[in-house]
Amino acid sequence: MAEIKAIAVIGAGIMGRGIAHAAALGGYRTILEDILPASLRKAESEIRGNLDKAVELGKVKKEDADAAFGRLEYAGSVEEAARAADLVIEAVPEEIESKVEIFTLLDKICRPATIIASNTSSLSITEIASVTYRAKKCLGMHFINPVHKMKLLEIVRALETDDETLAAAVEVGRRMGKEVVVVKESPGFITSRINVLIGNEAFCMLQEGVASAADIDKALKLGLNHPMGPFELVDLVGLDTRLHILEYLHRTLGEKFRPSPLLIQYVKAGRLGRKSGRGVYEYPEQKSAKAK
């Protein structure tokens, strides 16, 4: 089995910084990349804050949190981040063109033995890996947001993924403290395929006036024991990200995944969730932070 010592994470957005947090806490040298210095600064601050919170709650020992933070490095280019990595996890936006572009670049930069993983929540790993000369060393590692809290990791085996690559990714997930499930590639895998149906139906109910967003969220939390309501979750994930997933599943799996007109309308209006200060709900603290 391939030995993983250094992990590069491409993209320091919500998912990228969460994956970097988990990798560093798992004992790996971790290089987090983003072309925007402000994104790297924000990631560094957020990871430090989340580690401190974990110590405060008694979930992580202080010395372990400090050691994890010390394993983090930051890079302003993909080449700088990926050159020395044994595993590269891309966490760029959920668009096939972006992921294909990154995999093409990584295939040229990385050492021949390096494993390349995508954090896609729905797209075809086989299609993305086909642009490389190392399809056997490509797979999906779908982390769940927020990564530092959620235990699940879906590892997606593409058509060409070999046993050694799969075993190495499973071991990485376990060292990160995740519960791992292995999925044969299929659009939406397990969680996204089910979750977007729930969320899309919630938007249809909201559009029909069945109940308020708050009451739909409350019903699913108290009646179905969901930790978050569908609207709370979509605001966290991003309405644009959810729409991209639904559009892909609609194309590949059929009519039942047709996006709700209300979801489409919200995205067109720029109501993208927490990151924009407004989604289904309002987030005035995010708006004021962006205005500064």
Side-chain angles (χ1 to χ4, degrees):
M1 184 174 71
E3 185 178 10
I4 307 297
K5 293 182 178 178
I7 295 176
V9 182
I10 308 302
I14 292 172
M15 296 305 296
R17 53 187 182 255
I19 295 167
H21 173 133
L25 203 55
Y28 296 101
R29 175 191 173 195
T30 304
I31 308 108
L32 179 59
E33 180 276 341
D34 203 286
I35 59 172
L36 299 175
S39 294
L40 291 176
R41 289 194 298 270
K42 183 176 181 180
E44 183 177 21
S45 174
E46 186 173 296
I47 292 169
R48 179 74 264 184
N50 287 335
L51 286 168
D52 290 344
K53 187 67 175 178
V55 171
E56 182 185 324
L57 295 173
K59 295 182 177 181
V60 177
K61 294 179 181 178
K62 186 178 188 308
E63 55 269 30
D64 292 338
D66 291 342
F69 194 68
R71 292 186 197 100
L72 284 162
E73 303 170 29
Y74 303 92
S77 71
V78 173
E79 184 173 2
E80 182 186 355
R83 196 183 303 119
D86 304 301
L87 166 65
V88 182
I89 305 172
E90 69 78 11
V92 302
E94 188 71 358
E95 299 165 6
I96 190 75
E97 296 82 7
S98 299
K99 294 183 184 293
V100 164
E101 183 180 350
I102 289 293
F103 266 62
T104 302
L105 180 59
L106 289 172
D107 193 42
K108 295 174 182 176
I109 293 168
C110 296
R111 290 174 286 120
T114 299
I115 295 169
I116 307 177
S118 174
N119 180 55
T120 178
S121 54
S122 64
L123 300 174
S124 169
I125 306 299
T126 299
E127 182 179 352
I128 296 168
S130 70
V131 301
T132 76
Y133 290 97
R134 64 178 84 206
K136 292 181 179 180
K137 296 191 174 298
C138 297
L139 77 171
M141 295 181 73
H142 178 213
F143 294 83
I144 311 300
N145 188 25
V147 180
H148 66 287
K149 292 182 179 179
M150 300 296 284
K151 297 292 287 184
L152 179 66
L153 170 61
E154 287 182 305
I155 293 183
V156 184
R157 184 170 199 162
L159 181 64
E160 305 288 350
T161 308
D162 64 22
D163 292 341
E164 184 181 26
T165 298
L166 186 68
V170 168
E171 177 60 22
V172 167
R174 288 175 178 159
R175 276 187 59 181
M176 287 182 176
K178 303 301 181 187
E179 294 287 341
V180 175
V181 297
V182 177
V183 186
K184 178 182 176 183
E185 182 184 306
S186 175
F189 318 137
I190 298 172
T191 54
S192 294
R193 186 165 169 175
I194 293 174
N195 198 38
V196 298
L197 277 175
I198 295 172
N200 202 44
E201 186 62 24
F203 268 103
C204 291
M205 293 169 70
L206 184 63
Q207 184 173 350
E208 293 164 13
V210 172
S212 68
D215 279 350
I216 293 170
D217 276 348
K218 185 176 182 180
L220 266 69
K221 286 190 289 185
L222 298 181
L224 301 181
N225 206 27
H226 289 197
M228 298 179 73
F231 298 122
E232 292 171 332
L233 182 58
V234 77
D235 274 1
L236 179 65
V237 170
L239 278 73
D240 52 339
T241 299
R242 175 62 59 80
L243 181 57
H244 282 313
I245 295 169
L246 275 165
E247 288 172 337
Y248 174 71
L249 295 180
H250 183 220
R251 290 195 304 272
T252 54
L253 294 178
E255 193 61 23
K256 65 182 176 181
F257 290 97
R258 178 181 291 277
S260 157
L262 184 61
L263 171 60
I264 295 171
Q265 191 175 35
Y266 275 28
V267 172
K268 286 181 177 178
R271 294 173 63 164
L272 307 182
R274 287 181 177 272
K275 61 187 175 185
S276 68
R278 191 183 187 201
V280 180
Y281 300 112
E282 300 271 354
Y283 302 93
E285 70 281 0
Q286 293 288 347
K287 285 185 178 178
S288 58
K290 290 181 77 169
K292 289 179 181 177

